[in-house]
Amino acid sequence: NGHQQRNGVMFIDPELISSVEIDKGTSAGMGGAGVLGGIASFNTVDAREFLGEGKEFGGRLRAGHGIGELGNGTYFNGSALFAFGNEIGDVLLGVSERHFGDYRAGTNDKDNLGTQINLRQFYPTAWENWLNSEVGEMDSVTRSRLFKLGLNLPADQRLQLSYMEYDTDSKDAWVYRNSDGRSIYYRRNGKSDVIARNTAL
């Protein structure tokens, strides 16, 4: 995400990430274009991570769920990856789904937040209520798909086609103060439905 969202947004599902590489400093190589700060490369999972010599299929199942208040808005988070192939080529199929809801932001070091946030100095009771309340209207659902088809060529060369889809639905909300000035509530102002598709050869 660029400064004040001026340079666009990158959508990526952590369930489909294999590794992240950080290259600090200037770079004129692939993806660099003479950058000064460095490059972050996100690598998605590959079929070869689940296959090996004498192993023609493999995969990974992962699922998680929050428990009570300790879940802090995590209702479900899971993925399924399946790969099959041989020395000629391989195929990877992956799906992921994430469900999140209202959460508690926490109150550690609240005295260091300053007096201007949410008009703390004028409405101290509402400010305390705001810190101790759940952040509301935060429901979101994300579904991701990943497909890779690889073909091994002579002389250690490889041809690969990949398709990744990221679909997320979420709400846009803001905090409002009740007329009595003693409590706050969240109200939905809109919603976002974003679909990002990436294809590479």
Side-chain angles (χ1 to χ4, degrees), residues 30 48 60 64 67 82 93 99 106 119 138 149 174 186:
M30 187 172 70
R48 292 173 290 184
R60 181 186 77 198
I67 301 174
F82 179 71
L93 303 170
H99 293 253
L119 298 178
M138 290 290 111
L149 173 63
W174 194 248
Y186 287 85

Side-chain angles (χ1 to χ4, degrees), residues 116-175:
Q116 301 302 316
I117 294 179
N118 214 355
L119 298 178
R120 174 185 182 183
Q121 58 185 348
F122 300 111
Y123 300 95
T125 305
W127 191 81
E128 288 288 340
N129 174 260
W130 174 60
L131 284 182
N132 292 292
S133 299
E134 281 191 336
V135 179
E137 297 291 345
M138 290 290 111
D139 300 35
S140 68
V141 176
T142 300
R143 294 181 176 90
S144 300
R145 309 287 180 262
L146 178 65
F147 169 75
K148 288 187 176 183
L149 173 63
L151 180 63
N152 297 319
L153 302 176
D156 294 327
Q157 299 181 86
R158 181 171 169 84
L159 181 67
Q160 181 167 278
L161 170 70
S162 67
Y163 172 79
M164 185 166 56
E165 180 178 295
Y166 181 94
D167 183 0
T168 181
D169 302 322
S170 60
K171 297 176 182 176
D172 301 323
W174 194 248
V175 63

